[in-house]
Amino acid sequence: MKVLVAVAEVADVEDEFEIDGLAIDEQYLNYDLNEWDDYAVEAGVQLQEAGDDVEVVSVTIGPERADETIRMALAKGVDRAVRVWDENLEATEYLDSETKADVLAAVVEDEQPDLVLTGVQSDDTAFGATGVSLAEEVGFEWAAVVNDLEYEPGSDTASVHRELEGGVEEFTDVELPAVLTIQTGINEPRYASLRGIRQAQSKEIAPKTLDELGLDASVTDSAVSLTELYEPETESDATLFEGSPDEEADQLAELLRDEGVEA
Amino acid sequence: MSDVLAVAEHRRGDLRDVSFELVTAGRDLADAAGGDLHVAVIGGDVDGFAEELNREGVDTIHTISEGEEFNHDVYTQTVEALFDELAPELLLLPNTVNGLDYAPAVANSLSLPLVTDAIDVEYGDELAVTREMYGSKVETVVEVDADRVALTIRPGEWPPAESTGDAEISQFDVSIDESAVRSTVTGFQEVGGGDVDITDADVLVSVGRGIEEEENIALVEALADTLGATLSSSRPIVDNGWLPKNRQVGQSGKVVTPDIYIAIGISGAVQHVAGMKGADTIVAINTDASAPIYDLADYGVVDDLFDVVPALIEAFGGEPPAL
């Protein structure tokens, strides 16, 4: 069987930053593997380890720079990777979840996976919609916000727990083929071993253009456009203690005592 | 007519708060668009739910008796059928775990542009939606250039509609294609439990990602011990397996209302804030003065927790652990 894991490279913003038009100035951004996708990769690799004939393929929409992030997934056990990018995607100002789902759907058509794993959301845009949109697009079943997965490779049903709000979990059986969006905490993502990192260098990252996936540039057309990006005004009216750490701690201790805390 | 259709959410016999917030947001948008507000409730005790949802501003409540609990295959088919019937301009859904389990499918199937996790909406020539990016560090406005739009709203951002209304209640029959129902909800489980109930604590010392390493948890444990407080945490600490699930404060963990909440190395992501904003006094210790936790905190120390926490332990006569 084949497991396709959608892996995004996301930007993390430093504490202090400047905005340049409708984007954050590049010098304040650090790129990394999307946190939720790290758990999805681990879930895929665990399935590969549990079955005799399970191939795990990752797919990423992103520029060549993303290869570094993709290598991390390959080093953790993903067998090979597909990376989709071209000048049309490069020129797209705002890649919404519909466009991402359409592009990923073309890769699903190509790869014919039995199971697709994605993170619940991406760290940067936090739309939380791509996985379920993709499932609908390709006619797969799905489950969102999965924090436990029981699946025997080859079976036609996966049993999942979905993490609802307020400490309640839902148990759901899902027919395959399916898309599961993976919540953090479902497993413990492994670190890439030195051996894994060496092996990753020889694994394939296949670049694909929209044209090669049978898509035309109109797939990037979107009704949604970004018109403003700004730092929210701070609403803080907190009283801040100042001085050395010892002085700050003394002031805080006095406050806590006033509030009735006694050691 | 530029109508709005909002879909209520319920779980295990109760409407969730966001259902009434959807009414408020939906009424505002319907007023701006010059249309009616339709509210749909699917499954469970639909008649009882309809009575509760009959708040001021709702024009019509559509009850759909399909199943007891949420099933996304049923919800998807039902909302699509009702959308076809009513042809509203705006489809409004909750940005909850279940909302995100069907909103993208409905939007995709109906070819509606979708914007999720709205914290504010303005309806002018185009729909302008405010949302957050990069872990709440920036806000964005996205505009949607389309005749019909699907939108999910963040719980807690709109006040719940309260006054009783005089909505028309209408039963909507939908013929579910059972062959397209390929997921089955088999049960629910409360998680957490364990030896400590953090919802009982008067003073919580809560630790977040800023603690960096598992062995450093000993530092905040020592502070909690010194203060006679209970130790809790934000999500990443539980995800890492450093503390058990019953210690987690937040949307997917516990909602706590202690007298004092000391947030150590916690940035204040919206999911965490949902669980602790009801604390009487909130103290934050974090190096980043612009962290969202300071929007909520009453008192703060903008400094390195590894310097401040040992000093605080000593100020109360305790002995900080050697790290």
Side-chain angles (χ1 to χ4, degrees), chain B residues 62-171:
Chain B
H62 303 271
T63 60
I64 301 103
S65 299
E66 285 292 340
E68 280 304 306
E69 290 289 349
F70 175 80
N71 174 297
H72 65 225
D73 296 313
V74 171
Y75 266 58
T76 301
Q77 289 189 42
T78 304
V79 173
E80 285 172 18
L82 192 56
F83 190 91
D84 283 344
E85 170 86 11
L86 300 173
E89 185 167 351
L90 285 167
L91 175 62
L92 219 50
L93 305 172
N95 200 78
T96 54
V97 171
N98 281 346
L100 290 173
D101 194 39
Y102 77 105
V106 170
N108 201 67
S109 174
L110 295 171
S111 299
L112 303 175
L114 170 70
V115 181
T116 61
D117 204 20
I119 57 171
D120 197 11
V121 186
E122 279 194 36
Y123 186 95
D125 292 338
E126 287 182 1
L127 188 73
V129 184
T130 307
R131 45 192 323 281
E132 293 180 337
M133 261 180 84
Y134 299 114
S136 308
K137 282 184 176 163
V138 299
E139 282 184 9
T140 62
V141 176
V142 294
E143 289 190 359
V144 192
D145 180 15
D147 295 337
R148 302 187 189 284
V149 180
L151 187 67
T152 70
I153 67 163
R154 179 183 293 178
E157 293 294 321
W158 277 265
E162 284 176 352
S163 309
T164 308
D166 56 357
E168 179 189 340
I169 295 178
S170 166
Q171 184 182 316

Side-chain angles (χ1 to χ4, degrees), chain A residues 11 15 25 27 50 56 70 75 83 90 139 162 164 183 195 234 237 263:
Chain A
D15 288 344
D25 202 297
Q27 62 177 303
V56 181
I70 296 168
R83 179 174 60 78
E90 176 89 48
R162 296 182 53 240
L164 307 182
Q183 175 65 303
R195 187 162 160 266
T234 175
D237 53 3

Side-chain angles (χ1 to χ4, degrees), chain A residues 10-17 19 24 29 35-36 39 94 96-98 101-102 120-121 123-145 147 160-177 183-189 222-250 252-257 259-263, chain B residues 9 11-12 16 70 72-73 76 80 95-98 100-106 108-109 111-117 126 128 130-146 155 179-192 203 209 226-228 235-236 238-240 245 248 250-255 259-260 262 271 281 283 285 287-290 294-304 307-308 311-312 314-317:
Chain A
V10 292
D12 180 34
V13 182
E14 291 180 5
D15 288 344
E16 301 290 328
F17 61 90
I19 290 169
I24 290 174
L29 300 177
E35 183 181 4
W36 283 264
Y39 290 85
Y94 196 67
D96 71 0
S97 54
E98 185 188 355
D102 286 347
V120 164
Q121 66 178 54
D123 269 318
D124 46 11
T125 61
F127 250 80
T130 303
V132 174
S133 293
L134 167 65
E136 203 285 333
E137 186 70 27
V138 296
F140 282 20
E141 186 51 28
W142 72 88
V145 193
N147 71 344
V160 304
H161 294 189
R162 296 182 53 240
E163 184 186 77
L164 307 182
E165 297 86 352
V168 177
E169 290 190 1
E170 177 196 284
F171 301 167
T172 303
D173 290 340
V174 184
E175 285 181 23
L176 264 51
Q183 175 65 303
T184 60
I186 185 175
N187 51 39
E188 195 172 334
S222 171
V224 183
S225 57
L226 185 68
T227 57
E228 289 179 50
L229 186 144
Y230 52 90
E231 276 191 79
E233 279 178 34
T234 175
E235 295 164 14
S236 178
D237 53 3
T239 303
L240 300 181
F241 299 124
E242 288 173 357
S244 69
D246 283 345
E247 288 164 346
E248 290 165 335
D250 285 343
L252 180 51
E254 191 181 331
L255 165 84
L256 293 173
R257 286 197 183 95
E259 296 266 345
V261 176
E262 289 170 22
Chain B
E9 179 165 315
R11 187 193 301 159
R12 305 168 90 186
R16 304 196 68 226
F70 175 80
H72 65 225
D73 296 313
T76 301
E80 285 172 18
N95 200 78
T96 54
V97 171
N98 281 346
L100 290 173
D101 194 39
Y102 77 105
V106 170
N108 201 67
S109 174
S111 299
L112 303 175
L114 170 70
V115 181
T116 61
D117 204 20
E126 287 182 1
T130 307
R131 45 192 323 281
E132 293 180 337
M133 261 180 84
Y134 299 114
S136 308
K137 282 184 176 163
V138 299
E139 282 184 9
T140 62
V141 176
V142 294
E143 289 190 359
V144 192
D145 180 15
S179 70
V181 178
R182 293 168 290 164
S183 68
T184 314
V185 177
T186 58
F188 295 92
Q189 176 181 286
E190 303 269 354
V191 292
V203 182
R209 205 189 283 265
T226 303
L227 299 180
R235 176 174 195 112
V238 172
D239 279 349
N240 286 341
K245 180 88 182 166
Q248 186 184 324
Q251 204 170 64
S252 54
K254 300 281 185 182
V255 174
D259 297 335
I260 301 174
I262 307 175
Q271 294 86 351
T281 300
V283 178
I285 302 174
T287 48
D288 178 10
S290 61
Y294 285 110
D295 288 344
L296 211 65
D298 301 292
Y299 300 92
V301 177
V302 181
D303 214 329
D304 190 338
D307 295 326
V308 177
L312 188 57
E314 283 171 356
F316 274 94

Side-chain angles (χ1 to χ4, degrees), chain A residues 14-42:
Chain A
E14 291 180 5
D15 288 344
E16 301 290 328
F17 61 90
E18 287 172 32
I19 290 169
D20 180 11
L22 289 175
I24 290 174
D25 202 297
E26 192 70 25
Q27 62 177 303
Y28 303 105
L29 300 177
N30 303 302
Y31 292 94
D32 204 351
L33 172 62
N34 181 39
E35 183 181 4
W36 283 264
D37 298 349
D38 198 11
Y39 290 85
V41 165
E42 178 64 32

